[in-house]
Amino acid sequence: MLPLQGRTAIVTGAGRGIGRAEALHLARLGAFVVVNDSGVAASDGSGPCSGQPAEAVVAEIRAAGGVAVAHAGDVGEQTEARDVVRLAVERFGGLDILVNNAGIMRDRMVYSMSEDEWDSVVRVNLKAQYNTTKYASAYWRQQAKESGYPVYGRIVNTSTEAFLAGSPLQPNQAAAGGGVIGLTTSSALALAAYGVTVNAVCPRARTRMTEECFAGVLPPAHGGVDPLTTEHVAPLVGYLVSPAAARVTGQVMVVHGGMVAVLDRPRVAATFDTAGDVFTHEELEDQLTPYFTERTGEGFAALEVVSLRKR
């Protein structure tokens, strides 16, 4: 009996890169997979992405003995997000797993970023995850109300280390990633009563989207596993959507290179009180200036996350 035998999963942005690896892995674990990707074929018709990317991944899953169906809609549109949930339910009789992976990059410093570069990233990387979560959670809530029992529901959202480290070249990516974490923690609390877990991963992998970012990080010269292969990400997602992770929810994890780091929630570093009813400027200056003088160079951004490696 495979861990996900008989379960139905949706993976968005699954035509290439991390999403493709996740879809293939969930299928190997026994899930029926709805492979969502709105992308188009490689312009030269070459490689595994010749043909519509979602269809190409479905063909891979079926060739390996799995069960899958393609959905080519843009889940940044609510109608398409609703449709991908409907497709899963109609084709496979239900929905158990949602992996929100779809994402794009439009890197630029904040002072030169265009409105479209901001809007497009927030739409795909954040709004699309809200869209699919909305319809999947509504389905699970209705199932729980009708049965009177919690359902089997798993959501894995995809955020980014740019949010954690405050990447200067990616204000749009960082903002969307922070929003995903807020969506994750809020949804985890809202859906717990229905049996649904919600977690987020911040993956680091070499894909078509990130090839420029990791151009200087070369694969091992003498064989071995590339620390940036997408194969490092998929097993964690497979675990988080499995029965074994029933008690894991509201968590944020960094994953790459054979390493998983579970992040702690924000902690209060210090508190300051006014001697009166409200702070005066002078009082704030007297209390806060010495405190931040001692913490020069240390802010909320967790730069140490970028240096995480397998021990």
Side-chain angles (χ1 to χ4, degrees):
M1 190 71 173
L2 295 171
L4 300 181
Q5 193 74 45
R7 301 294 183 188
T8 298
I10 295 170
V11 184
T12 68
R16 302 180 174 95
I18 294 173
R20 171 181 170 271
E22 291 167 341
L24 293 171
H25 186 72
L26 297 190
R28 285 193 292 269
L29 294 181
F32 308 139
V33 184
V34 179
V35 179
N36 163 266
D37 199 292
S38 62
V40 296
S43 58
D44 60 359
S46 63
C49 291
S50 57
Q52 209 282 333
E55 293 284 2
V57 175
V58 167
E60 288 187 80
I61 291 172
R62 290 175 177 170
V67 179
V69 64
H71 181 272
D74 174 7
V75 291
E77 297 289 340
Q78 284 212 351
T79 53
E80 294 293 349
R82 181 178 58 202
D83 187 65
V84 74
V85 171
R86 179 197 58 78
L87 175 62
V89 174
E90 290 183 358
R91 184 64 62 93
F92 299 122
L95 175 65
D96 305 288
I97 296 160
L98 170 62
V99 179
N100 282 314
N101 168 78
I104 61 172
M105 293 175 67
R106 300 289 186 271
D107 291 357
R108 204 172 301 278
M109 302 295 279
V110 67
Y111 45 75
S112 56
M113 179 167 287
S114 70
E115 184 177 15
D116 180 68
E117 288 167 335
W118 173 273
D119 288 347
S120 60
V121 167
V122 172
R123 177 182 179 277
V124 176
N125 297 19
L126 175 57
K127 184 187 175 186
Q129 300 199 45
Y130 151 71
N131 286 345
T132 50
T133 297
K134 170 185 171 69
Y135 291 106
S137 62
Y139 168 77
W140 286 322
R141 179 174 179 267
Q142 185 61 34
Q143 293 295 109
K145 288 176 66 177
E146 291 178 359
S147 69
Y149 295 98
V151 300
Y152 186 106
R154 302 282 191 273
I155 300 175
V156 177
N157 293 325
T158 302
S159 186
T160 170
E161 289 176 285
F163 145 70
L164 296 167
S167 175
L169 194 60
Q170 298 175 311
N172 48 3
Q173 194 94 344
V180 169
I181 301 306
L183 173 65
T184 299
T185 55
S186 174
S187 300
L189 292 174
L191 302 178
Y194 304 114
V196 180
T197 68
V198 190
N199 295 287
V201 296
C202 300
R204 188 188 305 178
R206 194 189 312 276
T207 67
R208 184 176 62 101
M209 190 171 76
T210 63
E211 57 188 356
E212 290 186 13
C213 295
F214 298 129
V217 184
L218 301 177
H222 305 290
V225 179
D226 183 353
L228 291 176
T229 179
T230 57
E231 305 306 318
H232 290 302
V233 181
L236 175 60
V237 172
Y239 164 74
L240 289 173
V241 302
S242 74
R247 298 174 66 87
V248 182
T249 193
Q251 302 296 322
V252 180
M253 305 180 189
V254 174
V255 56
H256 60 79
M259 177 218 71
V260 173
V262 180
L263 302 185
D264 203 356
R265 65 184 185 271
R267 304 284 181 173
V268 177
T271 60
F272 302 90
D273 299 318
T274 178
D277 294 325
V278 296
F279 275 107
T280 65
H281 175 84
E282 292 75 18
E283 192 177 19
L284 286 169
E285 183 176 341
D286 289 343
Q287 293 194 50
L288 295 184
T289 299
Y291 174 77
F292 285 110
T293 299
E294 294 180 3
R295 289 168 55 94
T296 300
E298 183 178 348
F300 193 80
L303 299 177
E304 64 274 15
V305 172
V306 178
S307 62
L308 284 171
R309 299 289 186 276
K310 180 183 177 183
R311 293 176 294 179

